[in-house]
């Protein structure tokens, strides 16, 4: 179908002087202003040169002006404005064919929305993409968005977009709570111009995903990095799937790639799901003062991790409950109706942050867990007929609080049916679950509090999530629906917390380390460092465990770097190749001081 065209009547010969005189009398142009014939083309002598932008998008409303609070020009035609002030002049202009056309910005192509409606549509679209609980603005796959297509709005990621991205980020800057995470993944972005508006309106952004775009060189990243301090509070950045990043990995320049990103974003902690190693190579500065930072010694906790704790109740009651409950939750949730008391309560919350232990181990980017990237949080954040009940992040007031707490067995089951499908391997891998159970007193009754920590596979992606679940159980009364259905207990309360996956090694019985992956000092090393005062003792221990230097060289390295651990580590990395035979301890010595 051909596009509609908009044109003005061709003025009659000599109408220019008549129209100009009429406009001056009507007070709509200054006495010394010159009026141009419609027949005068841009660029000709006496004509007015049009800008490139007006030639490219002559009819589109400038939505950005309304978003930014700037006054919009009148959309009334000039003839209409003249009619209001001097009908006779307007009639004469119409007869001579010299009526100037109305502003092009008052017309939208293809019958699309006018400027005021455009702004309302953009605000509605941004709010559709906004998750206030997670402080997350999802701008992925904008070119495929049905809402934009239905309302004939140009995608901010489209090559034809002009100021649409500026509009979106301006609206986003007014969202409450403040936006912390933005995903621009899978938009086919080949340059970083769209990021300029992002950095301008959301300068305190903490997390940004550009996954799956077409960014091919470093200058595109510099739109939001560099010395100008644009996204100077960025904590996490994802560039997986961009030609620039994939080429560096293909050519074995991974470290160079990471160093370039870290240099551009000094505040960055996580790159492509992996922790950013902060190593400085600055020359030691002269200083006589001792470091003021407190360094925690790497050691185990005072108590060991113990196995599951079940007291005051027959363990078979707990095990029988779980062996029956989770297969039904995975395959036939509706059949759990009788397991819940008529006045039972159920709520769930989603914790989207990656646990520190899992981040250090790189679980979420490991090839051993290929399905983790397929997992999505929106079904947990907004599902369950009320959404996540994370009180620390919840917005929406009392209404949200009541909607996310489900009362009565029927409402409980309806909410669970609206959650993603799962698979709990309770019988096959009991070591992946930890259970605590003991009696609690509630009013005049003694009930049973049961908590379980474990993992499940989310279907159909087969990605793994961790969970914590707390049940308050009571002995099923005789004649109750629970008892008639073969349940020994009835559920009074059920609270579910879904988390990003972290290994079940966290509750394996035995010594508990302060941080995953840290080597523990032997009694011999602790004894050797005992005479040193704090914080030198902690610094020495950290350096020895991380470098395997002997005590003499560890002390020399720290002294030469003013007892700055990071500078000492950088100094060690510089000299370890050439000095390996002198500086590094033999492995047998290292084994004596590390457990």
């Amino acid at each position: 179908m051909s596009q509609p065209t908009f044109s003005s009547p061709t003025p009659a010969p000599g109408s220019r002087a008549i129209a100009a005189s009429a406009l001056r009398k009507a007070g709509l142009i200054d006495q010394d202003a010159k009026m141009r014939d419609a027949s005068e083309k841009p660029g000709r002598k006496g004509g007015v040169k049009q800008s490139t932008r007006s030639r490219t998008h002559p009819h589109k409303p400038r939505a950005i002006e309304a978003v930014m609070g700037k006054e919009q020009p009148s959309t009334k035609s000039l003839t209409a404005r003249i009619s209001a002030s001097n009908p006779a002049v307007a009639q004469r202009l119409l007869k001579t064919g010299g009526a100037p056309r109305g502003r092009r910005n008052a017309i939208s192509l293809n019958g699309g929305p006018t400027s005021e409606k455009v702004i309302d549509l953009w605000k509605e679209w941004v709010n559709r993409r906004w998750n206030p609980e997670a402080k997350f603005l999802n701008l992925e796959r904008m070119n495929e968005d049905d809402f934009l297509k239905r309302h004939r709005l140009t995608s901010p990621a489209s090559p034809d977009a002009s100021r649409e991205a500026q509009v979106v980020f301006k609206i986003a800057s007014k969202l409450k709570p403040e936006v912390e995470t933005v995903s621009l993944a899978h938009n086919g972005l080949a340059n970083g111009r769209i990021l300029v508006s992002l950095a301008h309106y959301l300068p305190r952004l903490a997390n940004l995903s550009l996954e799956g775009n077409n960014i091919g060189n470093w200058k595109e990243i510099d739109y939001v990095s560099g010395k100008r301090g644009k996204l100077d509070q960025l904590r996490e950045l994802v560039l997986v799937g961009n030609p620039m990043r994939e080429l560096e990995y293909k050519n074995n320049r991974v470290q160079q790639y990471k160093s370039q990103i870290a240099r551009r974003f000094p505040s960055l902690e996580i790159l492509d799901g992996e922790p950013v190693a902060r190593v400085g190579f600055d020359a030691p500065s002269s200083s006589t003062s001792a470091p003021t930072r407190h360094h925690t010694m790497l050691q185990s906790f005072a108590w060991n991790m113990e196995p599951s704790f079940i007291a005051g109740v027959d363990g078979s009651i707990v095990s029988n409950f779980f062996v029956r409950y989770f297969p039904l939750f995975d395959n036939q949730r509706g059949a759990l109706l009788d397991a819940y008391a008529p006045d039972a309560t159920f709520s769930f919350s989603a914790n989207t942050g990656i646990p520190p232990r899992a981040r250090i181990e790189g679980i979420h980017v490991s090839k051993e867990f290929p399905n983790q990237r397929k997992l999505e949080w929106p079904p947990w954040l907004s599902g369950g007929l009320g959404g996540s009940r994370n009180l620390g992040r919840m917005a929406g007031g009392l209404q949200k609080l009541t909607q996310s707490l489900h009362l009565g067995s029927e409402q409980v089951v309806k909410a669970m049916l609206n959650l993603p499908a799962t698979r709990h391997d309770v019988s096959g891998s009991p070591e992946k679950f930890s259970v605590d159970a003991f009696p609690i007193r509630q009013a005049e009754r003694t009930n049973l509090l049961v908590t379980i920590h474990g993992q499940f596979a989310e279907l159909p992606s087969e990605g793994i999530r961790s969970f914590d679940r707390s049940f308050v159980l009571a002995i099923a009364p005789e004649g109750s629906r629970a008892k008639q259905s073969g349940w020994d207990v009835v559920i009074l309360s059920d609270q579910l917390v879904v988390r990003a996956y972290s290994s079940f090694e966290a509750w394996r019985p035995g010594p508990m380390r302060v941080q995953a992956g840290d080597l523990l000092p032997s009694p011999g090393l602790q004894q050797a460092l005992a005479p040193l005062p704090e914080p030198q003792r902690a610094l020495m221990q950290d350096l020895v465990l991380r470098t395997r230097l002997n005590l003499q060289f560890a002390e020399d390295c720290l002294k030469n770097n003013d007892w700055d651990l990071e500078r000492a580590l950088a100094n060690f990395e510089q000299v370890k190749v050439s000095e390996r035979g002198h500086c590094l301890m033999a492995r047998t010595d290292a084994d004596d001081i590390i457990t």
Side-chain angles (χ1 to χ4, degrees):
M1 182 180 292
S2 60
Q3 297 290 333
T5 58
F6 301 89
S7 60
S8 299
T10 303
S15 64
R16 178 172 128 184
I18 298 173
S21 176
L23 291 173
R24 289 192 184 96
K25 290 180 180 179
L28 296 178
I29 64 172
D30 296 331
Q31 293 296 322
D32 57 350
K34 181 179 179 181
M35 184 174 177
R36 179 175 63 87
D37 280 339
S39 60
E40 291 178 343
K41 296 182 179 180
R44 289 184 55 181
K45 184 176 181 180
V48 180
K49 187 177 181 180
Q50 291 182 336
S51 66
T52 304
R53 184 175 299 277
S54 63
R55 291 199 306 272
T56 306
H57 302 287
H59 303 298
K60 285 193 175 183
R62 298 187 64 188
I64 188 64
E65 305 295 345
V67 174
M68 295 181 173
K70 295 183 179 179
E71 184 177 353
Q72 288 286 312
S74 173
T75 57
K76 285 186 177 181
S77 68
L78 190 56
T79 303
R81 282 185 278 153
I82 294 175
S83 300
S85 60
N86 196 329
V89 174
Q91 186 65 27
R92 187 163 66 251
L93 284 173
L94 291 173
K95 288 181 179 180
T96 60
R101 62 183 170 189
R103 286 187 57 86
R104 286 182 170 183
N105 283 350
I107 304 172
S108 59
L109 289 173
N110 303 326
T114 58
S115 179
E116 292 80 9
K117 186 177 180 181
V118 166
I119 302 308
D120 292 337
L121 290 172
W122 278 118
K123 289 181 179 179
E124 180 182 351
W125 181 76
V126 170
N127 278 286
R128 284 169 174 255
R129 294 277 188 139
W130 168 237
N131 186 331
E133 295 178 3
K135 302 178 182 179
F136 171 51
L137 182 59
N138 183 356
L139 300 180
E140 299 178 0
R141 306 182 190 276
M142 293 186 286
N143 294 331
E144 305 169 13
D145 192 277
D146 291 334
F147 181 93
L148 298 182
K149 293 178 180 178
R150 185 167 64 254
H151 294 283
R152 300 176 183 176
L153 297 175
T154 302
S155 164
S158 168
D160 298 327
S162 55
R163 293 192 174 186
E164 282 76 7
Q166 196 172 355
V167 172
V168 169
F169 294 132
K170 174 68 174 180
I171 296 172
S173 69
K174 300 180 182 298
L175 294 173
K176 298 297 179 183
E178 188 175 5
V179 179
E180 287 185 359
T181 303
V182 171
S183 177
L184 289 165
H186 307 293
N187 279 307
L189 301 176
N191 61 65
R193 285 195 296 270
I194 189 175
L195 303 178
V196 176
S197 299
L198 172 68
H200 177 73
Y201 290 110
L202 301 172
R204 291 189 290 275
L205 191 69
N207 311 297
L208 174 62
S209 174
L210 296 172
E211 182 179 357
N213 284 293
N214 295 323
I215 297 175
N217 53 64
W218 291 105
K219 72 176 184 178
E220 309 304 338
I221 299 298
D222 289 337
Y223 277 98
V224 288
S225 66
K227 298 180 180 179
R228 300 180 182 178
K230 296 174 181 176
L231 291 180
D232 55 3
Q233 298 183 34
L234 194 66
R235 189 185 64 86
E236 181 171 3
L237 177 64
V238 180
L239 291 170
V240 175
N242 285 275
M244 176 195 69
R245 188 257 192 196
E246 303 307 325
L247 181 62
E248 297 293 326
Y249 271 70
K250 180 180 179 181
N251 295 328
N252 296 320
R253 295 197 297 263
V254 178
Q255 292 305 320
Q256 292 90 326
Y257 160 76
K258 293 181 178 180
S259 297
Q260 287 285 346
I261 294 294
R263 180 176 63 82
R264 284 170 164 80
F265 300 94
S267 61
L268 202 66
E269 298 176 12
I270 305 165
L271 174 61
D272 300 334
E274 299 180 359
V276 175
R278 287 292 170 192
V279 179
F281 294 93
D282 296 335
S285 58
S286 58
S287 173
T288 57
S289 61
T292 58
R293 290 183 298 170
H294 176 70
H295 295 266
T296 303
M297 294 185 67
L298 303 177
Q299 57 187 4
S300 61
F301 287 99
W303 293 274
N304 289 342
M305 174 64 70
E306 299 294 338
S308 296
F309 176 77
I310 299 177
V313 63
D314 187 352
S316 62
I317 294 179
V318 178
S319 60
N320 291 339
F321 170 74
F322 283 133
V323 168
R324 184 179 181 187
Y325 180 88
F326 282 111
L328 289 176
F329 184 85
D330 292 337
N331 303 299
Q332 196 177 354
R333 292 179 187 174
L336 290 171
L337 180 66
D338 293 340
Y340 286 85
D343 57 349
T345 62
F346 169 71
S347 65
F348 68 92
S349 65
N351 186 345
T352 60
I354 298 177
R357 182 186 298 270
R359 194 182 301 283
I360 292 171
E361 295 176 354
I363 288 177
H364 293 260
V365 293
S366 172
K367 293 181 180 179
E368 297 180 14
F369 301 92
N371 297 318
Q372 295 304 99
R373 291 185 178 276
K374 300 177 184 179
L375 294 171
E376 296 181 350
W377 281 112
W380 290 101
L381 293 170
S382 57
L385 303 180
S388 168
R389 190 178 171 82
N390 190 333
L391 299 180
R393 294 184 174 182
M394 183 177 291
L398 183 61
Q399 182 180 6
K400 177 65 175 178
L401 287 173
T402 56
Q403 287 179 346
S404 58
L405 180 62
H406 306 282
L407 306 176
S409 55
E410 292 186 2
Q411 295 302 315
V412 168
V413 172
K414 287 181 179 179
M416 292 192 301
L417 287 170
N418 196 250
L419 293 175
T422 58
R423 184 177 65 249
H424 298 74
D425 191 11
V426 178
S427 300
S429 304
E431 73 279 1
K432 296 180 180 179
F433 300 86
S434 176
V435 179
D436 295 327
F438 47 87
I440 58 171
R441 190 72 177 173
Q442 292 183 314
E444 300 300 321
R445 295 189 302 178
T446 299
N447 296 320
L448 183 65
L449 175 61
V450 181
T451 61
I452 180 170
H453 311 279
Q455 65 186 59
F456 62 79
E458 183 176 314
L459 306 178
S461 68
E462 295 289 346
I464 304 175
R465 296 196 191 275
S466 293
F467 77 93
D468 312 297
R469 202 156 188 174
S470 299
F471 295 94
V472 175
L473 307 177
I475 299 298
E478 292 295 335
S480 65
R481 294 182 60 175
K483 192 69 174 179
Q484 293 174 359
S485 298
W487 294 93
D488 296 325
V489 292
V490 62
I491 304 171
L492 305 180
S493 174
D494 179 3
Q495 292 182 335
L496 169 64
V497 178
V498 179
R499 299 182 285 107
Y501 176 66
S502 184
S503 172
F504 58 89
E505 294 290 334
W507 54 76
R508 182 183 294 276
M512 293 190 295
R513 295 182 175 180
V514 172
Q515 190 174 19
D518 289 336
L519 298 172
L520 300 180
S522 69
L525 177 60
Q526 293 178 328
Q527 183 178 0
L529 296 176
L532 292 177
E534 288 288 358
Q536 283 83 356
R537 184 193 310 163
L539 293 172
M540 283 281 290
Q541 180 173 290
D542 278 8
L543 188 62
V544 168
L545 293 177
R546 294 169 69 175
T547 64
R548 297 199 174 194
L549 284 170
N550 60 36
L551 296 179
Q552 176 186 345
F553 282 105
E555 184 176 6
D556 291 342
C557 189
L558 283 166
K559 284 182 177 179
N560 292 336
N561 288 280
D562 295 325
W563 292 91
D564 187 313
L565 180 61
E566 296 303 320
R567 284 165 54 187
L569 287 168
N571 191 196
F572 166 78
E573 292 294 332
Q574 289 177 329
V575 302
K576 72 177 182 180
V577 175
S578 60
E579 299 295 332
R580 182 177 298 274
H582 300 287
C583 294
L584 297 183
M585 299 179 300
R587 182 165 297 279
T588 54
D589 295 333
D591 293 340
D592 291 338
I593 65 171
I594 299 173
T595 62

